[in-house]
Amino acid sequence: QVQLVESGGGLVQAGGSLTLSCVVSGRTVGAYAMGWFRQAPGKEREFVAAISWSGDNTDYAGSVKGRFTISRDNAKNTVSLQMNSLEPEDTAVYYCAVSRKLYYRGPYDSQFQYADWGQGTQVTVSS
């Protein structure tokens, strides 16, 4: 059974930084794309960032481009999201996910391309 566990969320002031991590067990994810999504209160879950199985291709939502950086460590079966210059609008529960298909190279922004999800970690940015 595949299990994804996110960590690193918390409360931060606007302009601050956080790094989210996601550890995957039950599957070696080196051949799968991985993504981060978020869901704010009262809103639908939305795409944040994704990285190809090899790490040579990344994609970001326009609202986070230039502020967030996704990376992966296949040896540790983890994916991370470095978030800088955080804004109150970034407040949400953040979820990591693993793609359905092996060697998937996008498009990455549809949640239906991901088969396994974590439980999420809360990020709150105060103004």
Side-chain angles (χ1 to χ4, degrees):
Q1 182 177 354
V2 180
Q3 192 170 24
L4 290 76
V5 178
E6 302 96 337
S7 63
L11 174 64
V12 65
Q13 288 188 330
S17 298
L18 283 173
T19 300
L20 306 183
S21 295
C22 173
V23 180
V24 184
S25 59
R27 178 188 297 169
T28 300
V29 295
Y32 294 85
M34 298 191 71
W36 285 95
F37 288 73
R38 67 186 181 186
Q39 187 168 20
K43 295 186 177 181
E44 293 189 353
R45 189 160 56 184
E46 65 176 3
F47 171 74
V48 175
I51 188 166
S52 62
W53 62 273
S54 59
D56 64 346
N57 189 30
T58 58
D59 191 22
Y60 296 92
S63 59
V64 308
K65 194 171 294 185
R67 300 188 297 123
F68 292 10
T69 302
I70 189 171
S71 60
R72 66 187 299 157
D73 185 336
N74 288 341
K76 296 182 179 179
N77 239 29
T78 62
V79 63
S80 298
L81 186 68
Q82 173 69 43
M83 306 186 295
N84 298 326
S85 301
L86 283 162
E87 304 168 352
E89 292 75 21
D90 296 316
T91 295
V93 178
Y94 284 70
Y95 302 89
C96 65
V98 180
S99 66
R100 292 185 184 278
K101 298 178 181 178
L102 284 167
Y103 306 115
Y104 184 68
R105 295 190 69 83
Y108 297 112
D109 58 348
S110 170
Q111 60 183 310
F112 302 106
Q113 298 297 339
Y114 299 85
D116 301 292
W117 295 80
Q119 294 298 307
T121 185
Q122 176 71 47
V123 172
T124 303
V125 184
S126 63
S127 58

